């Protein structure tokens, strides 16, 4: 782990840095204003000036310790020529999956297709507002990416029974996707990202084959990021055994989801922890929010801990509640 600036990833238990997953997004009126005029979500992610502006929107409002680049995990399928659209009220819709076509794509083609993402990172990292803050680059984990590629839409209602019918397709895809994830990480770091987060949002959907589809490919990526000298945070949302995951994958930090008991995590896992609080807490009232946030801060008082949520900020969140939370964590 390379300490850079006042990096959020460190072993100091006296500081409790804070940022929130999906902090740049739909709960902010200034984001909705931009989104209204930019109906094509992929195009918006590829607009380096707007992407940079959206990344900094929450930093201008709240004293977060890190910004996360405004982009999406589905930029990888997009960059390897699978059609990706976001439909209002439906979510992501992916096009035909042609593995032969994907196999023809080389590093240069891939990097070219995402060059605006890297320009957005470069632009953002140079902004004075981030002088003492981190800029987080991110990717989806291989399993979560192939779930979208094969299912062609969100698996929020579960995976169809035939998902595992073509095992050789899944096995080939996991290898290809791992390769492009590494390239995407390297490019983001070269552009100025100084922390990497790996989102395995659908880790909880896999029951068998966890070593093949989660542990092994994610470990390869974690080792790769460490070699580049940048700290790496993993979020295997919904995984049953966080301790086993940490023992095998060895991230620098693990983000826990809101269904796990933070006390057993604190006792059982000795790497820095991030997150945990249910994003729905931000939809309640200040008193309850304070009580819940304090519960996490108390449990992780003597543990390196980055305050965050157990999943992303919900679109219906009142920004005033976020403001209250950030101030409360800073005053703790
Ligand atoms: O206006 C809109 O409708 C767009 C909503 C939106 C936003 C703001 C999407 C569509 N993506 C994003 C940005 C985004 N996505 C960021 C950067 C901003 C930030 O975090 O502040 C990041 C890190 C992501 C990551 C992402 N995209 C994940 C992993 C985290 C998670 O929430 O589990 C996933 C699963 C996606 C896929 C995705 N992108 C968008 C949607 C609607 C979805 C599908 C979610 C699902 O399957 O239910």
């Amino acid at each position: 782990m390379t300490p850079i600036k006042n990096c959020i990833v460190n072993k100091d238990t006296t500081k409790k840095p804070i940022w929130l997953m999906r902090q740049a997004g739909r709960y902010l009126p200034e984001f909705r204003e931009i989104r209204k005029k930019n109906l094509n979500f992929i195009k918006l992610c590829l607009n380096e000036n707007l992407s940079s502006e959206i990344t900094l929107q929450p930093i201008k409002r709240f004293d977060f310790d890190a910004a996360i680049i405004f982009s999406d995990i589905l930029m990888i399928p997009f960059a390897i020529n699978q059609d990706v659209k976001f439909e209002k009220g439906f979510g992501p819709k992916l096009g035909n999956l042609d593995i032969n076509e994907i196999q023809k794509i080389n590093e240069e083609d891939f990097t070219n297709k995402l060059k605006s993402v890297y320009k957005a990172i470069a632009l953002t990292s140079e902004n004075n507002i981030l002088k003492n803050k981190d800029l987080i680059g991110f990717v989806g984990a291989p399993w979560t990416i192939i779930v979208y590629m094969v299912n062609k839409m969100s698996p929020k209602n579960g995976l169809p029974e035939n998902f595992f019918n073509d095992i050789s397709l899944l096995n080939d895809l996991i290898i290809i996707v791992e390769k492009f994830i590494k390239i995407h990480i390297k490019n983001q770091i070269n552009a100025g990202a100084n922390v990497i987060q790996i989102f395995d949002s659908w880790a909880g959907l896999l029951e068998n084959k966890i070593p093949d589809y989660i542990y092994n490919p994610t470990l390869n990526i974690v080792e790769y990021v460490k070699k580049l000298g940048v700290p790496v945070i993993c979020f295997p949302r919904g995984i049953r055994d966080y301790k086993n995951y940490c023992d095998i994958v060895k991230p620098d930090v693990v983000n826990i989801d809101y269904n796990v008991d933070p006390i057993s995590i604190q006792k059982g896992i000795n790497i820095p922890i991030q997150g945990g609080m249910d994003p729905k807490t931000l939809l309640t009232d200040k008193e309850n929010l304070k009580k819940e946030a304090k519960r996490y801060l108390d449990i992780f008082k003597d543990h390196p801990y980055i305050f965050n949520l157990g999943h992303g900020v919900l679109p219906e969140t009142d920004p005033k509640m976020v403001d209250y939370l950030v101030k409360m964590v800073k005053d703790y």
Side-chain angles (χ1 to χ4, degrees):
M1 186 158 65
T2 325
I4 312 161
K5 298 194 284 186
N6 300 318
C7 187
I8 55 168
V9 180
N10 62 67
K11 297 266 162 86
D12 184 352
T13 58
T14 63
K15 290 193 188 116
K16 304 293 182 204
I18 176 169
W19 70 279
L20 303 181
M21 294 188 281
R22 301 298 192 103
Q23 66 188 20
R26 286 173 296 180
Y27 72 108
L28 288 180
E30 56 272 37
F31 168 75
R32 290 202 296 266
E33 214 31 61
I34 292 180
R35 181 76 170 102
K36 239 177 21 200
K37 296 182 214 132
N38 294 271
L39 296 178
N40 183 323
F41 184 74
I42 295 277
K43 267 198 185 157
L44 177 58
C45 291
L46 292 173
N47 179 325
E48 65 245 32
N49 292 313
L50 287 179
S51 161
S52 178
E53 185 181 334
I54 295 168
T55 302
L56 296 175
Q57 282 176 345
I59 310 300
K60 288 179 182 155
R61 268 188 187 250
F62 317 113
D63 190 15
F64 284 132
D65 295 291
I68 180 159
I69 192 68
F70 178 77
S71 176
D72 200 84
I73 63 165
L74 298 179
M75 297 311 278
I76 289 197
F78 164 78
I80 54 181
N81 287 349
Q82 187 176 13
D83 197 36
V84 179
K85 283 194 193 87
F86 289 85
E87 274 182 21
K88 216 178 164 171
F90 181 82
K93 234 186 196 171
L94 285 81
N96 263 352
L97 174 63
D98 184 341
I99 190 131
N100 296 319
E101 282 304 306
I102 291 175
Q103 263 150 349
K104 289 184 197 150
I105 293 164
N106 62 29
E107 177 165 352
E108 199 186 336
D109 302 331
F110 176 88
T111 300
N112 246 327
K113 252 190 124 170
L114 296 184
K115 61 176 186 293
S116 333
V117 175
Y118 311 130
K119 278 191 200 152
I121 293 177
L123 257 178
T124 312
S125 71
E126 285 157 13
N127 194 302
N128 218 21
I129 196 172
L130 290 188
K131 206 170 65 199
N132 291 311
K133 298 179 192 287
D134 294 318
L135 179 57
I136 304 170
F138 70 89
V139 290
W143 163 249
T144 285
I145 296 291
I146 73 165
V147 161
Y148 283 104
M149 290 178 76
V150 174
N151 198 45
K152 301 195 178 79
M153 61 180 201
S154 173
K156 61 185 172 211
N157 300 320
L159 284 175
E161 254 172 56
N162 66 4
F163 184 85
F164 291 96
N165 277 7
D166 191 348
I167 284 286
S168 87
L169 171 75
L170 299 181
N171 293 346
D172 288 349
L173 271 180
I174 235 36
I175 293 170
I176 296 174
V177 162
E178 181 190 313
K179 178 179 99 182
F180 287 109
I181 288 172
K182 285 178 178 161
I183 297 169
H184 193 39
I185 289 174
K186 180 182 69 182
N187 290 340
Q188 292 184 71
I189 292 172
N190 287 342
N194 74 319
V195 175
I196 293 293
Q197 175 142 335
I198 303 174
F199 289 95
D200 212 346
S201 303
W202 299 107
L205 287 181
L206 194 63
E207 283 164 20
N208 307 313
K209 289 186 155 288
I210 290 177
D212 290 351
Y213 292 152
I214 294 186
Y215 293 160
N216 298 340
T218 315
L219 171 62
N220 293 341
I221 295 167
V222 163
E223 285 179 343
Y224 178 79
V225 187
K226 287 180 179 173
K227 263 195 236 141
L228 298 177
V230 165
V232 54
I233 307 172
C234 287
F235 180 33
R237 185 169 76 94
I239 201 135
R240 259 134 292 195
D241 192 340
Y242 270 92
K243 179 164 165 36
N244 204 31
Y245 179 92
C246 291
D247 288 345
I248 295 170
V249 177
K250 300 187 189 71
D252 292 309
V253 181
V254 71
N255 193 114
I256 54 173
D257 65 72
Y258 53 86
N259 284 320
V260 295
D261 169 27
I263 298 175
S264 66
I265 294 285
Q266 194 281 325
K267 287 193 182 123
I269 298 181
N270 58 19
I271 63 168
I273 305 292
Q274 174 174 283
M277 192 177 82
D278 192 334
K280 287 201 191 82
T281 316
L282 284 160
L283 307 181
T284 62
D285 54 74
K286 284 182 180 164
E287 196 186 330
N288 187 53
L289 173 60
K290 185 175 183 177
K291 191 178 105 220
E292 262 304 282
K294 192 171 174 303
R295 187 165 75 87
Y296 278 89
L297 289 164
D298 286 346
I299 291 168
F300 292 105
K301 188 161 60 68
D302 301 316
H303 200 110
Y305 184 65
I306 303 166
F307 197 96
N308 204 318
L309 304 173
H311 201 192
V313 183
L314 294 162
E316 54 271 43
T317 304
D318 181 347
K320 282 200 204 85
M321 292 291 273
V322 175
D323 188 50
Y324 182 81
L325 173 67
V326 177
K327 288 183 174 139
M328 192 232 130
V329 173
K330 295 269 155 169
D331 289 342
Y332 179 74

